[in-house]
Amino acid sequence: MFDLAREIGQSLSNNKLRTTLTGLSVAWGIFMLIILLSMSNGVTNSFKQHVMAQGSNYINIFPGNTSKAYKGLKEGRYIDLQDGDIATVESQNGNFTKQASSTMRGSAVTISSSKDYISTGYEGVYPDELTKRGIPLTHGRFINQLDLDQKRKVVVLTEQNASILFGSPEEAIGKNVTLKDLSFVVIGVINPRFGQETYIPFTTAKALNGNDPSINVLAVELKNVKTEEDGTQAENEIKGTLSRIHNFAPDDDGAVWIWNRFKQQLQMSMGMNILEYAVWIIGLFTMLSGIIGVSNIMFVSVKERTHEIGIRRAIGAKPRSILVQIITESVAITGIFGYIGVFLGVIIMEAINSLMGETEFLTDARVDISIAIKVTIVLIIAGCLAGLFPALKALKVKPVEALRDE
């Protein structure tokens, strides 16, 4: 093993300029591969954090206007979704429906404490709202089913609003605020990425708005869905239930507007996978010029060492030892300069992360352990392939002819 390492070192030192120039092309290819993979990793992380963190197994349904006549009723009717639809959809679609819910957006109001006041909008929500939106709860608790059943006057504030009203989010829990001239108890604090909405129980919001049964969205959390076909079937069954309730044609696309977040998430995940494959293809083609260069330098090395190979064959060297030496030498060139490219790529991406931080489109664009392992495997395979054909050529050298070579 030590003799092999010494021979490889001597071979590389005898052709320093040629080896360096060829190795730089390998380093550049690996450098670009690291940059591309890190950027792809950053985009994927951002997608998982900002999109997949929100509830992806939901179907949101909005009121619309019929585009077809149905059972003697003319087209153009407004389909007014109502709170009674929530329980009906949930009970009649048990195969795919885990739960159904809604939100009720109120107008801007003044919320005040003994210290200060704010002007903000509020929403009446169900307990699954945090899951739907992917919002972290930082203090206290969120609205629960008992709050809905008893129409409790409880409220969940954002960290910013809680700090304005009480000095800090921690101080807000259990305190009272005034909303629409009514006293509400602060039960929780959240930290949304966007917006400063205040949440109260859906039933309480209905009471504040005169118990109007109309709802502007019906959100259905799905279960037992794994494929796009499952998502489509669930969507059709839920739409069929609503068509029976509100008397519109099941195939009327204008009667209700449907946002199938489950199917969208599957399509976006597929897009992320395609992006990763595309990045690997581009990176590998960028590396190809360097690998070809290594292969060429090994062909030249074999040509220059024909006499040496002949002597080794004549004194009993096995073909396997010559094959191993040439392939190992190729792997060494590829590995050394490849990891120079890896090192430079890591440094550049760390600098980019430090300067940019986390953005909406790029999150933690770094080289993780999985990328390092993949690149190592690529380097080993590339080095073996680069040295394989020159090594096979070396094995074809006949000892007698090699000894005559000058």
Side-chain angles (χ1 to χ4, degrees):
M1 179 63 70
F2 292 107
D3 291 338
L4 178 61
R6 186 173 63 253
E7 288 179 7
I8 292 173
Q10 289 176 348
S11 175
L12 297 181
S13 62
N14 290 336
N15 302 282
K16 294 179 182 178
L17 180 60
R18 186 172 63 195
T19 301
T20 301
L21 293 176
T22 303
L24 287 177
S25 63
V26 175
W28 174 253
I30 289 292
F31 171 78
M32 290 304 301
L33 180 59
I34 288 295
I35 296 296
L36 290 171
L37 288 175
S38 299
M39 297 295 285
S40 172
N41 197 37
V43 172
T44 302
N45 289 338
S46 179
F47 169 71
K48 291 178 179 178
Q49 181 172 322
H50 300 145
V51 178
M52 293 188 68
Q54 302 181 27
S56 58
N57 56 332
Y58 275 86
I59 291 179
N60 288 354
I61 305 167
F62 305 89
N65 293 284
T66 60
S67 59
K68 297 180 179 180
Y70 184 69
K71 292 184 177 180
L73 300 172
K74 294 183 178 181
E75 69 276 9
R77 290 181 297 118
Y78 178 71
I79 301 302
D80 185 21
L81 298 179
Q82 300 191 342
D83 53 11
D85 299 340
I86 299 172
T88 304
V89 166
E90 192 172 306
S91 63
Q92 294 187 10
N93 296 273
N95 289 337
F96 291 110
T97 300
K98 182 177 180 180
Q99 61 180 339
S101 62
S102 184
T103 60
M104 178 173 288
R105 185 179 296 273
S107 57
V109 294
T110 297
I111 302 176
S112 61
S113 67
S114 58
K115 291 185 177 181
D116 211 334
Y117 70 92
I118 57 173
S119 294
T120 183
Y122 71 91
E123 286 188 32
V125 298
Y126 275 70
D128 65 338
E129 190 68 18
L130 292 188
T131 304
K132 283 193 292 186
R133 301 198 183 189
I135 300 174
L137 179 72
T138 58
H139 299 87
R141 67 173 179 86
F142 197 64
I143 292 161
N144 59 31
Q145 189 60 45
L146 201 57
D147 296 327
L148 292 177
D149 295 340
Q150 297 183 3
K151 300 180 182 180
R152 288 175 173 172
K153 298 182 184 67
V154 293
V155 63
V156 176
L157 302 172
T158 64
E159 286 192 346
Q160 179 178 322
N161 289 341
S163 298
I164 294 172
L165 293 173
F166 298 100
S168 70
E170 295 85 353
E171 291 293 325
I173 303 300
K175 301 293 177 56
N176 290 80
V177 295
T178 301
L179 188 158
K180 280 199 167 184
D181 298 324
L182 297 173
S183 180
F184 281 72
V185 178
V186 179
I187 59 170
V189 177
I190 58 176
N191 184 27
R193 289 183 59 85
F194 308 102
Q196 294 297 322
E197 291 293 341
T198 298
Y199 294 133
I200 64 175
F202 179 82
T203 50
T204 306
K206 271 185 59 182
L208 291 177
N209 288 275
N211 289 308
D212 182 359
S214 298
I215 57 176
N216 56 11
V217 60
L218 173 61
V220 181
E221 184 178 4
L222 302 178
K223 64 179 182 180
N224 302 326
V225 287
K226 297 180 179 179
T227 64
E228 189 169 344
E229 290 74 19
D230 291 338
T232 300
Q233 185 178 350
E235 178 183 322
N236 290 337
E237 288 190 7
I238 293 168
K239 186 177 180 181
T241 299
L242 291 174
S243 73
R244 292 191 294 272
I245 298 172
H246 296 282
N247 288 315
F248 64 83
D251 59 348
D252 189 343
D253 294 331
V256 290
W257 297 91
I258 298 177
W259 176 21
N260 195 324
R261 293 164 64 176
F262 173 75
K263 289 171 60 176
Q264 183 188 56
Q265 185 267 336
L266 289 181
Q267 293 165 358
M268 294 181 72
S269 296
M270 185 181 299
M272 291 295 103
N273 292 333
I274 293 173
L275 173 63
E276 184 176 357
Y277 293 142
V279 165
W280 272 101
I281 291 172
I282 294 170
L284 292 176
F285 272 105
T286 305
M287 283 183 58
L288 187 59
S289 59
I291 302 305
I292 292 173
V294 173
S295 185
N296 287 337
I297 196 177
M298 296 310 301
F299 271 116
V300 174
S301 178
V302 168
K303 179 66 177 176
E304 291 178 346
R305 293 155 62 187
T306 300
H307 193 70
E308 174 195 334
I309 293 172
I311 293 175
R312 293 182 62 185
R313 293 289 302 278
I315 62 177
K318 295 182 179 180
R320 179 176 176 274
S321 65
I322 297 173
L323 182 70
V324 169
Q325 179 183 349
I326 295 174
I327 290 180
T328 305
E329 187 174 326
S330 174
V331 171
I333 296 174
T334 307
I336 292 171
F337 287 95
Y339 273 101
I340 291 174
V342 171
F343 176 74
L344 294 176
V346 169
I347 294 297
I348 293 297
M349 290 312 303
E350 286 295 333
I352 290 175
N353 274 288
S354 298
L355 292 173
M356 294 182 58
E358 292 189 2
T359 67
E360 186 176 351
F361 303 102
L362 203 65
T363 300
D364 194 22
R366 290 184 172 89
V367 181
D368 58 25
I369 186 64
S370 64
I371 293 179
I373 292 172
K374 291 174 184 177
V375 170
T376 300
I377 294 172
V378 168
L379 284 174
I380 294 172
I381 294 174
C384 290
L385 292 177
L388 178 62
F389 296 105
L392 293 176
K393 181 180 179 181
L395 294 182
K396 294 179 180 179
V397 175
K398 296 180 180 179
V400 176
E401 294 179 1
L403 291 172
R404 293 174 184 166
D405 188 82
E406 296 296 334

